[in-house]
Amino acid sequence: MRAALRGFALRLTDLIYPPVCAGCRAATARHGALCARCWAATHFIEPPYCAVSGDPMAFEIPDEPVRLSVLADPPAFRVARSAVVHTGLGMRLPTQLKYSDRADLAPIMAQWMARAGAELFAQADMIVPVPLHRRRQILRRFNQARELARALSPLAGLPVADAVLVRRRATASQVGLDRHQRAANVRGAFDVPARQRDRLRGRGVLLVDDVFTTGATVQSASRALIRGGASHVVVLTFSRVASEVAAPHMWTNVTSDPGADGAGNGLYAAALRFLQQRQGTPRQEGSEL
């Protein structure tokens, strides 16, 4: 009887609120789904990618697929993973969640994150969302990272510990800043309150945020968590800005600096662009980096 009532309620909900695509609002068969067009245009992150940073790579590297830039400057976190490349729908969904009060998108985004970060759940004892400064949270009314963490919690089987990490200093927006400016902007911005240190001591943390851009924010937050007593930090974000974007091959939209990706693949990308120009082949439209 209870199951029948639940089924009736679901059918009634579908009549009142028909399921639509999370990307373009076109009709779909079920809630939380994408239409075929948006699905095809979404760049899910699949191997090969850097084993540490999760940054997509153009070529499989045998044995230990780690970018040279990561080996030269190891991050404070143990490993990072993201669900999609920050382009197209991967850019629109976190923007709508953050700035358009679309908290209804958090469960959909969390499902994709759970798929991408399944390997991280066994390494963590709690989920910690990247916090907003209290003034910014008052203006925005909610923290998008916390909404993602709450939706991810039952999927990961981990509790949300959003009081463990605080943002002590109000920082400027990261939009428009380069890598070095971003790092300086968030340096020392996070802290673990003294009353939370016993709760954190010796525990693994799954740090959650919406977007991984240069990694400056999660780096600063990871350092604060480790100073506060965490044994290690693993990072999971919905999207990430990739140095090489697969559309359909990652060489179509990389930086113009041949060595900037840290693994030498930028030189290959530059050579392919040169050949394209010589052959008069129109360059494919890629994503914004």
Side-chain angles (χ1 to χ4, degrees):
M1 181 66 177
R2 185 175 298 175
L5 288 173
R6 187 182 300 113
F8 175 76
L10 290 174
R11 288 193 297 273
L12 183 61
T13 300
D14 285 348
L15 288 174
I16 300 173
Y17 302 104
V20 295
C21 173
C24 67
R25 313 298 289 177
T28 57
R30 60 183 178 84
H31 291 283
L34 295 178
C35 68
R37 183 176 181 180
C38 286
W39 180 269
T42 303
H43 299 272
F44 290 92
I45 296 178
E46 303 286 353
Y49 49 71
C50 175
V52 175
S53 70
D55 190 12
M57 304 174 78
F59 306 99
E60 188 77 54
I61 298 178
D63 301 326
E64 192 66 22
V66 178
R67 288 200 177 279
L68 296 180
S69 56
V70 172
L71 293 174
D73 185 19
F77 52 82
R78 176 183 286 180
V79 65
R81 293 290 181 266
S82 303
V84 297
V85 175
H86 192 64
T87 180
L89 191 62
M91 183 186 299
R92 290 202 306 273
L93 290 186
T95 300
Q96 291 172 356
L97 171 65
K98 187 183 297 186
Y99 299 116
S100 300
D101 293 333
R102 291 291 308 278
D104 60 294
L105 294 175
I108 302 170
M109 296 165 68
Q111 289 178 16
W112 298 2
M113 293 169 68
R115 174 180 174 271
E119 65 183 283
L120 307 182
F121 299 155
Q123 304 180 45
D125 299 294
M126 63 183 74
I127 300 175
V128 175
V130 172
L132 292 176
H133 190 267
R134 59 183 178 274
R135 290 206 297 270
R136 182 165 294 175
Q137 182 152 341
I138 290 172
L139 292 173
R140 195 176 289 171
R141 296 191 297 279
F142 71 96
N143 177 5
Q144 73 280 355
R146 186 173 187 270
E147 295 301 312
L148 291 172
R150 291 174 61 185
L152 189 62
S153 177
L155 304 176
L158 296 169
V160 177
D162 54 358
V164 161
L165 187 66
V166 296
R167 193 183 289 246
R168 295 292 190 194
R169 180 168 57 82
T171 56
S173 171
Q174 298 276 70
V175 177
L177 302 182
D178 63 27
R179 178 180 299 272
H180 301 294
Q181 291 169 331
R182 284 173 176 265
N185 188 40
V186 295
R187 188 174 295 122
F190 301 99
D191 191 25
V192 175
R195 62 182 178 277
Q196 295 289 336
R197 300 205 169 201
D198 286 341
R199 182 183 184 187
L200 186 61
R201 188 170 294 112
R203 303 295 185 89
V205 170
L206 176 64
L207 183 65
V208 167
D209 204 2
D210 56 342
V211 181
F212 187 115
T213 306
T214 63
T217 298
V218 295
Q219 278 272 56
S220 181
S222 296
R223 292 190 185 101
L225 288 166
I226 291 171
R227 285 197 307 270
S231 61
H232 62 273
V233 177
V234 290
V235 174
L236 182 58
T237 65
F238 173 72
S239 65
R240 71 160 293 141
V241 174
S243 58
E244 302 167 16
V245 181
H249 298 292
M250 295 175 187
W251 54 266
T252 57
N253 198 353
V254 296
T255 176
S256 59
D257 181 355
D261 65 71
N265 297 326
L267 183 60
Y268 177 73
L272 286 172
R273 280 197 300 272
F274 173 76
L275 290 175
Q276 273 190 313
Q277 293 168 359
R278 287 290 299 272
Q279 294 171 359
T281 304
R283 182 179 176 184
Q284 295 183 12
E285 182 181 356
S287 61
E288 180 183 349
L289 292 182

